[in-house]
């Protein structure tokens, strides 16, 4: 009992809601890129990678941490309406952090295997679900080009139904908002900041070229882990 | 309001012209554009989009309007390069896409742009043409919302209305900036005159939506799609918004719009001193 009192940070002005005992607020920080900014040239320019990583992703993390702090505060005060009000900021900034963290991992320089087609179980699954790798790429590119405004295009694995899907989400919504059993294997950022400096408004060219630096090994690893023996 | 009731007599003259263009036996359909058409009574519209040679079925219904200033006139606040790409490529792309969509589906012919947008919005369940139509309108409005030597403050009636509805111009500026910076994803920020409430308000919209769909009257706008500022400001949205407020926004254009709006919305009697 004494230990519990020791661990509770806020005063007991409002009774703690059930098991809301000790919880230290974990903040998020910018993950390092597993390659240099210029390593994905000429598919994606170094300038874009640097801005995208150091400015955009960092901003999402900063705002995410801020929103989580405010949420923590509101929760311990029992401020129901503020908790609800913060949800959109958390979804947007948290989604931005989650999505971009995946994005850096699913890209790789050519000399480290970027662009090499998938083999093994993911390769099989792609052929089963889409007919061929080319067909999948075509579908994802079409979906990406058609997306209005800002968003992402995903290759996802449905854990329950045991098949692959191509989905798009708007703004920074993570793939899981389209289905709770969806696991992101590959995501392509089609926000303008991801390609504008290099490709201007020609999003289809960006989509065509990004496959040259796609890290299929990462996608295969995730697939093998989440959907074994498919 | 049913969408077939767009426009009036203009529909009929238009469809006669469409018949001309589609009729393969007609000599006119083989030509791209002939200013001196000897046959009386036929009206041929200028084909503003690219011709594929031979029979031209593309009917250039909407054209790309130039901004009311040269493309380098907004330097150094909005570069010529940005104008060249934003207007010359993005805006032009929307116009051409809209024309291509309309040529397939002429039930929407005969509308003015304002009517077309409301009709295509379909009360929240937009037709596929909505995006292009709305973006064409939005960008026309946006170019006219800026001017070289813009910024500063509104005057006279517009300033009075802003002070009435926001407390002070400084407060309006702060709220407008805040709205622009808290917009998630692509979209626009608007200063609108709300018809029902008869007051000014700041409105954020996503993607291509504009306040016309709610029957409100836009007074000025700011494009917060990344393509609007990325070339000049990269991800520094705050700098872009502040530059717009201080150096680009045209209060002259806004004043003209609110004066026109008063033909539709009664903002009350002006205070005329009693002799």
């Amino acid at each position: 009992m004494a230990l519990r009192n020791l661990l509770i940070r806020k005063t007991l002005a409002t009774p703690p809601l059930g098991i809301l005992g000790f919880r230290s607020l974990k903040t998020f920080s910018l993950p390092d890129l597993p390659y240099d900014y210029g390593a994905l040239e000429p598919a994606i320019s170094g300038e874009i990678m640097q801005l995208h990583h150091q400015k955009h992703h960092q901003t999402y993390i900063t705002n995410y941490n801020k929103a989580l702090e405010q949420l923590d505060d509101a929760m311990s005060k029992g401020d129901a309406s503020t908790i609800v009000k913060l949800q959109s900021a958390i979804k947007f900034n948290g989604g931005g952090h989650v999505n971009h963290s995946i994005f850096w991992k699913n890209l790789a320089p050519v000399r480290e295997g970027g662009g090499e087609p998938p083999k093994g179980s993911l390769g099989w699954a792609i052929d089963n679900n889409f007919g061929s790798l080319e067909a999948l790429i075509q579908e994802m590119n079409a979906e990406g080009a058609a997306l209005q405004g800002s968003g992402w295009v995903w290759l996802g694995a449905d854990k329950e139904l045991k098949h692959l899907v191509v989905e798009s989400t708007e703004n920074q919504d993570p793939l899981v908002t389209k289905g709770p059993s969806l696991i992101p294997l590959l995501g392509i950022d089609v926000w303008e900041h991801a390609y504008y400096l290099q490709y201007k408004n020609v999003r289809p060219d960006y989509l065509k070229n990004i496959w040259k630096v796609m890290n299929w090994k990462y996608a295969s690893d995730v697939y093998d882990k989440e959907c074994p023996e498919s | 309001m049913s969408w077939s009731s767009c426009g009036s007599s203009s529909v009929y003259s238009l469809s006669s012209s469409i018949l001309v263009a589609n009729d393969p036996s007609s000599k006119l359909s083989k030509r791209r554009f002939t200013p001196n058409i000897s046959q009386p009574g036929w009206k041929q519209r200028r084909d503003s989009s690219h011709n594929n040679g031979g029979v031209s079925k593309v009917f250039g219904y909407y054209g790309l309007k130039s901004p009311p200033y040269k493309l380098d006139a907004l330097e150094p606040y909005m570069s010529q390069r940005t104008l060249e790409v934003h207007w010359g490529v993005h805006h032009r792309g929307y116009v051409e896409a809209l024309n291509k969509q309309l040529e397939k589906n002429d039930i929407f012919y005969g509308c003015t742009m304002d009517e077309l947008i409301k009709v295509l919005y379909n009360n929240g369940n937009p037709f596929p043409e909505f995006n292009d139509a709305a973006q064409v309108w939005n960008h026309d409005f946006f170019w006219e919302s800026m001017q070289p030597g813009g910024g500063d403050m509104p005057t006279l009636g517009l300033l009075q209305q802003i002070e009435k509805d926001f407390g002070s111009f400084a407060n309006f500026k702060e709220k407008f900036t805040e709205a622009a910076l808290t917009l998630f994803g692509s979209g626009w920020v608007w200063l609108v005159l709300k018809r029902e409430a008869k007051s000014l308000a700041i409105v954020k919209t996503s993607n291509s939506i504009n306040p016309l769909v709610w029957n409100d009257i836009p007074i000025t706008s700011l494009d917060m799609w990344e393509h609007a500022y990325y070339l000049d400001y990269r991800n520094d949205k705050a700098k872009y918004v502040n530059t717009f407020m201080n150096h680009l926004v045209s209060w002259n254009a806004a004043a003209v719009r609110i004066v026109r709006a008063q033909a539709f919305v009664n903002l009350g009697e002006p205070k005329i001193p009693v002799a």
Side-chain angles (χ1 to χ4, degrees):
Chain A
M1 230 33 213
L3 194 65
R4 186 160 184 256
N5 284 337
L6 212 78
L7 291 173
I8 291 173
R9 286 194 297 143
K10 303 279 184 197
T11 63
L12 290 173
T14 51
L17 306 157
I19 31 151
L20 253 192
F22 173 60
R23 189 174 24 90
S24 74
L25 189 61
K26 198 169 188 307
T27 53
F28 295 93
S29 57
L30 188 65
D32 284 327
L33 281 193
Y35 38 78
D36 287 333
Y37 289 128
L40 301 181
E41 301 241 8
I44 304 179
S45 74
E47 191 189 4
I48 289 183
M49 289 304 292
Q50 185 169 8
L51 277 168
H52 204 173
H53 181 245
Q54 280 182 357
K55 294 277 155 77
H56 289 272
H57 191 176
Q58 181 61 68
T59 304
Y60 288 126
I61 290 174
T62 309
N63 290 339
Y64 188 34
N65 287 337
K66 213 173 1 172
L68 287 176
E69 244 180 71
Q70 290 171 333
L71 178 69
D72 191 46
D73 194 53
M75 276 169 81
S76 47
K77 287 206 193 103
D79 186 349
S81 56
T82 305
I83 293 174
V84 176
K85 201 169 68 166
L86 287 167
Q87 295 309 312
S88 64
I90 288 174
K91 181 171 163 199
F92 182 69
N93 293 300
H97 171 53
V98 165
N99 293 341
H100 285 89
S101 302
I102 297 173
F103 190 50
W104 308 136
K105 287 195 270 215
N106 71 219
L107 297 172
V110 173
R111 64 166 187 279
E112 285 171 32
E116 256 179 51
K119 306 172 190 56
S121 53
L122 180 58
W124 279 109
I126 288 176
D127 287 341
N128 281 338
N129 282 269
F130 300 100
S132 66
L133 181 61
E134 287 71 39
L136 165 65
I137 290 179
Q138 214 171 9
E139 191 176 329
M140 278 186 83
N141 286 354
E143 188 100 14
L147 199 152
Q148 300 290 356
S150 311
W152 290 74
V153 193
W154 302 95
L155 171 65
D158 192 323
K159 267 186 100 151
E160 285 205 23
L161 302 176
K162 299 228 185 305
H163 65 155
L164 300 178
V165 295
V166 168
E167 271 290 358
S168 54
T169 55
E170 61 168 20
N171 292 350
Q172 292 296 350
D173 295 355
L175 180 61
V176 74
T177 55
K178 283 284 166 109
S181 52
L182 291 177
I183 310 284
L185 300 176
L186 291 178
I188 304 182
D189 189 352
V190 290
W191 279 64
E192 283 172 329
H193 64 236
Y195 61 88
Y196 204 71
L197 293 177
Q198 192 177 350
Y199 295 95
K200 303 294 182 299
N201 74 319
V202 194
R203 198 192 277 175
D205 278 357
Y206 161 68
L207 290 169
K208 206 168 57 173
N209 286 329
I210 199 173
W211 294 102
K212 301 185 185 148
V213 290
M214 202 59 84
N215 186 3
W216 283 107
K217 183 154 185 322
Y218 167 77
S220 290
D221 289 345
V222 174
Y223 183 71
D224 289 336
K225 190 169 119 215
E226 301 283 351
C227 303
E229 47 94 73
S230 81
Chain B
M1 167 186 156
S2 90
W3 42 251
S4 56
S5 63
C6 240
S8 51
S9 58
S10 55
V11 178
Y12 303 105
S13 57
L14 210 51
S15 26
S16 62
S17 313
I18 295 174
L19 286 171
V20 170
N22 285 347
D23 180 6
S25 63
S26 154
K27 280 185 254 186
L28 288 168
S29 65
K30 293 262 184 342
R31 293 198 203 124
R32 188 170 165 219
F33 176 71
T34 331
N36 304 312
I37 297 173
S38 51
Q39 283 116 316
W42 294 120
K43 274 185 281 198
Q44 175 132 11
R45 288 191 190 267
R46 180 185 289 279
D47 183 341
S48 73
S49 42
H50 301 297
N51 190 13
N52 302 325
V55 176
S56 164
K57 276 176 69 180
V58 176
F59 219 70
Y61 192 71
Y62 290 104
L64 179 65
K65 214 158 84 168
S66 300
Y69 36 75
K70 290 222 224 9
L71 296 186
D72 61 356
L74 299 179
E75 295 259 13
Y77 309 111
M78 191 176 275
S79 66
Q80 180 179 358
R81 185 87 187 100
T82 296
L83 262 299
E84 280 171 1
V85 182
H86 197 177
W87 172 76
V89 186
H90 286 269
H91 191 180
R92 189 188 302 272
Y94 288 126
V95 172
E96 288 177 359
L98 179 62
N99 283 336
K100 242 206 281 206
Q101 281 174 314
L102 288 181
E103 75 158 345
K104 291 190 214 134
N105 195 3
D106 62 1
I107 47 174
F108 295 122
Y109 271 120
C111 300
T112 60
M113 186 60 98
D114 287 29
E115 286 174 329
L116 183 66
I117 287 173
K118 266 193 237 166
V119 154
L120 288 173
Y121 185 65
N122 199 17
N123 284 315
N125 199 6
F127 288 94
E129 295 91 335
F130 172 75
N131 209 64
D132 292 319
Q135 283 291 73
V136 170
W137 191 94
N138 292 342
H139 284 91
D140 278 338
F141 189 82
F142 181 51
W143 305 132
E144 288 162 10
S145 300
M146 296 190 290
Q147 64 169 82
D152 206 18
M153 276 181 61
T155 53
L156 304 172
L158 177 55
L159 179 60
Q160 275 179 20
Q161 191 67 35
I162 287 179
E163 286 173 346
K164 178 157 166 267
D165 295 324
F166 294 100
S168 67
F169 179 70
N171 188 36
F172 155 74
K173 202 165 159 185
E174 202 188 296
K175 289 277 177 313
F176 194 86
T177 306
E178 192 196 324
L181 296 177
T182 55
L183 211 166
F184 290 155
S186 309
W188 299 76
V189 192
W190 307 84
L191 172 64
V192 291
L193 180 63
K194 287 198 168 285
R195 261 188 228 251
E196 305 255 325
K198 300 201 208 308
S199 63
L200 293 171
I202 294 172
V203 170
K204 297 194 277 200
T205 60
S206 286
N207 292 356
S208 55
I209 296 179
N210 64 41
L212 292 178
V213 308
W214 301 301
N215 211 24
D216 290 330
I217 303 176
I219 303 296
T220 197
S221 75
L222 175 56
D223 190 352
M224 290 308 293
W225 282 62
E226 284 176 327
H227 65 236
Y229 58 87
Y230 214 74
L231 292 178
D232 294 334
Y233 297 97
R234 302 289 187 268
N235 76 317
D236 197 347
K237 282 201 287 196
K239 193 153 171 238
Y240 166 63
V241 178
N242 285 327
T243 305
F244 173 80
M245 294 304 292
N246 294 330
H247 298 287
L248 287 173
V249 63
S250 171
W251 290 115
N252 292 331
V256 166
R257 288 162 181 163
I258 200 168
V259 163
R260 183 177 176 274
Q262 288 180 302
F264 304 94
V265 180
N266 185 354
L267 290 177
E269 294 298 324
K271 280 208 180 73
I272 301 171
V274 178

Coordinates of all heavy atoms in Angstrom, one line a residue, chain B residues 7-54:
Chain B
G7 N -28.9 26.0 -65.5 CA -28.8 27.0 -66.5 C -30.2 27.1 -67.3 O -31.2 26.5 -66.9
S8 N -30.2 27.8 -68.3 CA -31.5 28.0 -69.1 C -31.3 27.8 -70.6 O -31.0 26.8 -71.0 CB -32.0 29.4 -68.7 OG -31.0 30.3 -68.9
S9 N -31.4 28.9 -71.3 CA -31.4 28.8 -72.7 C -30.0 28.4 -73.2 O -29.9 27.9 -74.3 CB -31.9 30.1 -73.4 OG -31.0 31.1 -72.9
S10 N -29.0 28.6 -72.4 CA -27.7 28.3 -72.9 C -27.5 26.8 -73.2 O -26.7 26.4 -74.0 CB -26.7 28.7 -71.9 OG -27.0 28.1 -70.6
V11 N -28.3 26.0 -72.5 CA -28.2 24.5 -72.8 C -28.5 24.2 -74.2 O -27.9 23.4 -74.9 CB -29.2 23.8 -71.9 CG1 -29.1 22.3 -72.2 CG2 -28.9 24.0 -70.4
Y12 N -29.5 24.9 -74.8 CA -30.0 24.5 -76.1 C -29.0 24.9 -77.2 O -28.7 24.2 -78.1 CB -31.4 25.2 -76.4 CG -32.4 24.7 -75.3 CD1 -32.8 25.5 -74.3 CD2 -32.8 23.4 -75.3 CE1 -33.6 25.1 -73.3 CE2 -33.7 22.9 -74.3 CZ -34.1 23.8 -73.3 OH -34.9 23.3 -72.4
S13 N -28.4 26.1 -77.0 CA -27.5 26.6 -78.0 C -26.3 25.7 -77.9 O -25.6 25.4 -78.9 CB -27.1 28.0 -77.8 OG -26.6 28.2 -76.5
L14 N -25.9 25.2 -76.7 CA -24.8 24.4 -76.5 C -25.0 23.0 -77.2 O -24.1 22.5 -77.9 CB -24.5 24.2 -75.1 CG -23.1 24.0 -74.6 CD1 -22.2 25.0 -75.2 CD2 -23.0 24.0 -73.1
S15 N -26.2 22.4 -77.0 CA -26.3 21.1 -77.6 C -26.3 21.1 -79.1 O -25.9 20.2 -79.7 CB -27.6 20.4 -77.1 OG -28.5 21.3 -76.7
S16 N -26.8 22.2 -79.7 CA -26.7 22.3 -81.1 C -25.3 22.3 -81.6 O -24.9 21.7 -82.6 CB -27.5 23.5 -81.7 OG -26.9 24.7 -81.2
S17 N -24.4 23.0 -80.8 CA -23.0 23.0 -81.2 C -22.4 21.6 -81.0 O -21.5 21.2 -81.8 CB -22.3 24.0 -80.3 OG -23.0 25.2 -80.3
I18 N -22.8 20.9 -80.0 CA -22.3 19.5 -79.8 C -22.6 18.7 -81.0 O -21.8 17.9 -81.4 CB -22.9 18.9 -78.5 CG1 -22.4 19.7 -77.3 CG2 -22.4 17.5 -78.4 CD1 -23.1 19.2 -76.0
L19 N -23.9 18.8 -81.5 CA -24.3 18.0 -82.6 C -23.4 18.2 -83.8 O -23.0 17.3 -84.5 CB -25.7 18.3 -83.0 CG -26.7 17.7 -82.0 CD1 -28.1 18.2 -82.3 CD2 -26.7 16.2 -82.1
V20 N -23.0 19.5 -84.0 CA -22.2 19.8 -85.1 C -20.8 19.1 -85.0 O -20.3 18.5 -85.9 CB -21.9 21.3 -85.1 CG1 -20.8 21.7 -86.2 CG2 -23.2 22.0 -85.5
A21 N -20.3 19.2 -83.8 CA -18.9 18.6 -83.6 C -18.9 17.1 -83.8 O -18.0 16.6 -84.3 CB -18.4 19.0 -82.2
N22 N -20.0 16.5 -83.4 CA -20.0 15.0 -83.4 C -20.4 14.4 -84.7 O -20.3 13.3 -85.0 CB -21.0 14.4 -82.4 CG -20.4 14.6 -81.0 OD1 -19.2 14.8 -80.8 ND2 -21.2 14.4 -80.0
D23 N -21.0 15.3 -85.6 CA -21.5 14.8 -86.8 C -20.3 14.6 -87.8 O -19.7 15.5 -88.2 CB -22.5 15.8 -87.4 CG -23.1 15.3 -88.7 OD1 -22.8 14.2 -89.1 OD2 -23.9 16.1 -89.3
P24 N -20.0 13.4 -88.2 CA -18.8 13.1 -89.0 C -19.0 13.7 -90.4 O -18.0 14.0 -91.0 CB -18.6 11.6 -89.0 CG -19.9 11.1 -88.6 CD -20.6 12.1 -87.8
S25 N -20.2 13.8 -90.8 CA -20.4 14.3 -92.2 C -20.2 15.8 -92.3 O -20.1 16.4 -93.4 CB -21.7 13.9 -92.7 OG -22.7 14.5 -91.9
S26 N -20.3 16.4 -91.2 CA -20.2 17.9 -91.2 C -18.8 18.3 -91.4 O -17.8 17.8 -90.8 CB -20.7 18.5 -89.9 OG -20.1 19.7 -89.6
K27 N -18.6 19.3 -92.3 CA -17.3 19.8 -92.6 C -16.6 20.4 -91.4 O -15.4 20.4 -91.1 CB -17.3 20.9 -93.7 CG -17.5 20.3 -95.1 CD -17.4 21.4 -96.1 CE -18.8 21.6 -96.6 NZ -19.0 22.5 -97.7
L28 N -17.5 21.0 -90.5 CA -17.0 21.7 -89.4 C -16.2 20.8 -88.4 O -15.3 21.2 -87.8 CB -18.1 22.4 -88.6 CG -18.7 23.6 -89.3 CD1 -20.0 24.1 -88.6 CD2 -17.7 24.8 -89.3
S29 N -16.7 19.6 -88.3 CA -16.1 18.7 -87.3 C -14.7 18.3 -87.7 O -13.9 17.9 -86.9 CB -17.0 17.4 -87.2 OG -16.9 16.7 -88.4
K30 N -14.3 18.5 -88.9 CA -13.0 18.2 -89.3 C -12.0 19.3 -89.0 O -10.8 19.1 -88.9 CB -12.9 17.9 -90.9 CG -13.7 16.7 -91.3 CD -12.7 15.6 -91.5 CE -13.3 14.3 -92.0 NZ -14.7 14.0 -92.1
R31 N -12.5 20.5 -88.7 CA -11.6 21.6 -88.5 C -11.5 21.8 -87.0 O -12.4 21.5 -86.2 CB -12.1 22.9 -89.1 CG -12.1 22.8 -90.6 CD -12.2 24.2 -91.2 NE -12.7 24.0 -92.5 CZ -13.8 24.7 -93.0 NH1 -14.4 25.5 -92.2 NH2 -14.2 24.5 -94.2
R32 N -10.4 22.2 -86.6 CA -10.2 22.5 -85.1 C -10.8 23.8 -84.7 O -11.6 23.8 -83.9 CB -8.7 22.6 -84.9 CG -8.4 22.6 -83.4 CD -7.0 22.5 -83.1 NE -6.8 22.9 -81.7 CZ -5.7 23.6 -81.3 NH1 -4.8 23.9 -82.2 NH2 -5.6 23.9 -80.1
F33 N -10.5 24.9 -85.4 CA -11.2 26.1 -85.1 C -11.1 27.0 -86.3 O -10.1 27.2 -86.9 CB -10.5 26.8 -83.9 CG -11.2 28.2 -83.7 CD1 -12.4 28.3 -83.1 CD2 -10.5 29.3 -84.0 CE1 -13.0 29.5 -82.9 CE2 -11.0 30.6 -83.7 CZ -12.3 30.6 -83.2
T34 N -12.3 27.5 -86.8 CA -12.3 28.4 -88.0 C -13.0 29.7 -87.5 O -14.2 29.6 -87.3 CB -13.1 27.8 -89.1 OG1 -12.9 26.4 -89.0 CG2 -12.5 28.2 -90.4
P35 N -12.3 30.7 -87.5 CA -13.0 32.0 -87.0 C -14.1 32.5 -87.9 O -15.1 32.9 -87.5 CB -11.8 33.0 -86.9 CG -10.6 32.3 -87.2 CD -10.9 30.9 -87.7
N36 N -13.9 32.3 -89.2 CA -14.9 32.9 -90.2 C -15.7 31.7 -90.8 O -15.4 31.2 -91.8 CB -14.2 33.6 -91.3 CG -13.3 34.7 -90.8 OD1 -13.8 35.5 -89.9 ND2 -12.1 34.8 -91.3
I37 N -16.7 31.3 -90.0 CA -17.5 30.2 -90.5 C -18.6 30.8 -91.4 O -19.4 31.7 -90.9 CB -18.2 29.5 -89.3 CG1 -17.1 28.8 -88.5 CG2 -19.1 28.4 -89.8 CD1 -17.5 28.2 -87.2
S38 N -18.6 30.4 -92.6 CA -19.6 31.0 -93.6 C -21.0 30.6 -93.3 O -21.9 31.4 -93.5 CB -19.2 30.7 -95.0 OG -19.0 29.3 -95.1
Q39 N -21.2 29.4 -92.8 CA -22.6 29.0 -92.5 C -23.2 29.8 -91.4 O -22.7 29.8 -90.3 CB -22.7 27.5 -92.2 CG -22.6 26.6 -93.3 CD -21.4 25.7 -93.2 OE1 -20.3 26.2 -92.8 NE2 -21.5 24.4 -93.5
P40 N -24.3 30.5 -91.6 CA -24.8 31.3 -90.6 C -25.5 30.4 -89.5 O -26.0 29.4 -89.9 CB -25.8 32.2 -91.3 CG -26.2 31.4 -92.5 CD -25.0 30.6 -92.9
G41 N -25.5 30.9 -88.3 CA -26.3 30.2 -87.3 C -25.5 29.1 -86.5 O -25.9 28.7 -85.4
W42 N -24.4 28.6 -87.1 CA -23.7 27.6 -86.3 C -22.7 28.4 -85.4 O -22.0 29.3 -85.8 CB -22.8 26.8 -87.2 CG -23.7 25.9 -88.1 CD1 -23.7 25.8 -89.5 CD2 -24.6 24.9 -87.7 NE1 -24.5 24.9 -89.9 CE2 -25.1 24.3 -88.8 CE3 -25.1 24.4 -86.4 CZ2 -26.1 23.3 -88.8 CZ3 -26.0 23.4 -86.4 CH2 -26.5 22.8 -87.6
K43 N -22.7 28.0 -84.1 CA -21.7 28.6 -83.2 C -20.7 27.6 -82.9 O -21.0 26.5 -82.4 CB -22.4 29.1 -82.0 CG -23.0 30.5 -82.1 CD -23.5 30.9 -80.8 CE -24.8 30.3 -80.5 NZ -25.6 30.9 -79.5
Q44 N -19.4 27.9 -83.2 CA -18.4 26.9 -82.8 C -17.6 27.5 -81.7 O -17.1 28.6 -81.8 CB -17.5 26.6 -84.0 CG -16.3 25.7 -83.7 CD -16.2 24.6 -84.6 OE1 -16.8 24.6 -85.7 NE2 -15.3 23.6 -84.3
R45 N -17.4 26.7 -80.6 CA -16.6 27.2 -79.5 C -15.1 26.9 -79.7 O -14.8 25.9 -80.3 CB -17.1 26.6 -78.2 CG -18.4 27.1 -77.8 CD -18.8 26.7 -76.4 NE -20.2 27.1 -76.2 CZ -20.6 28.2 -75.7 NH1 -19.7 29.1 -75.3 NH2 -21.8 28.5 -75.6
R46 N -14.3 27.7 -79.1 CA -12.9 27.5 -79.3 C -12.5 26.2 -78.5 O -12.9 26.0 -77.4 CB -12.1 28.7 -78.7 CG -10.6 28.5 -78.8 CD -10.0 29.7 -78.1 NE -10.1 31.0 -78.8 CZ -9.4 31.3 -79.8 NH1 -8.4 30.5 -80.3 NH2 -9.6 32.5 -80.4
D47 N -11.7 25.4 -79.2 CA -11.3 24.2 -78.5 C -10.0 24.5 -77.7 O -9.0 24.7 -78.3 CB -11.0 23.1 -79.6 CG -10.6 21.8 -79.0 OD1 -10.2 21.8 -77.8 OD2 -10.6 20.8 -79.7
S48 N -10.2 24.6 -76.4 CA -9.0 25.0 -75.6 C -8.1 23.9 -75.2 O -7.0 24.1 -74.7 CB -9.5 25.7 -74.4 OG -10.0 24.8 -73.5
S49 N -8.5 22.6 -75.5 CA -7.6 21.6 -75.1 C -7.0 21.0 -76.3 O -7.4 21.3 -77.5 CB -8.4 20.5 -74.3 OG -9.6 20.3 -74.8
H50 N -6.0 20.1 -76.2 CA -5.3 19.6 -77.3 C -6.2 18.9 -78.3 O -7.0 18.1 -77.9 CB -4.1 18.7 -76.9 CG -3.2 19.4 -75.9 ND1 -2.5 20.5 -76.3 CD2 -3.0 19.3 -74.6 CE1 -1.8 21.0 -75.3 NE2 -2.0 20.2 -74.3
N51 N -6.0 19.1 -79.5 CA -6.8 18.4 -80.6 C -6.1 17.1 -81.0 O -4.8 17.1 -81.1 CB -6.9 19.3 -81.8 CG -7.9 18.8 -82.7 OD1 -8.7 17.8 -82.4 ND2 -8.0 19.4 -83.9
N52 N -6.8 16.0 -81.2 CA -6.1 14.8 -81.7 C -6.1 14.7 -83.2 O -5.8 13.7 -83.7 CB -6.9 13.6 -81.1 CG -7.0 13.6 -79.6 OD1 -6.1 14.0 -79.0 ND2 -8.1 13.1 -79.1
G53 N -6.4 15.8 -83.8 CA -6.5 15.7 -85.3 C -7.7 15.0 -85.8 O -8.3 14.2 -85.1
G54 N -8.2 15.4 -86.9 CA -9.4 14.7 -87.5 C -10.6 15.1 -86.7 O -10.8 16.3 -86.3

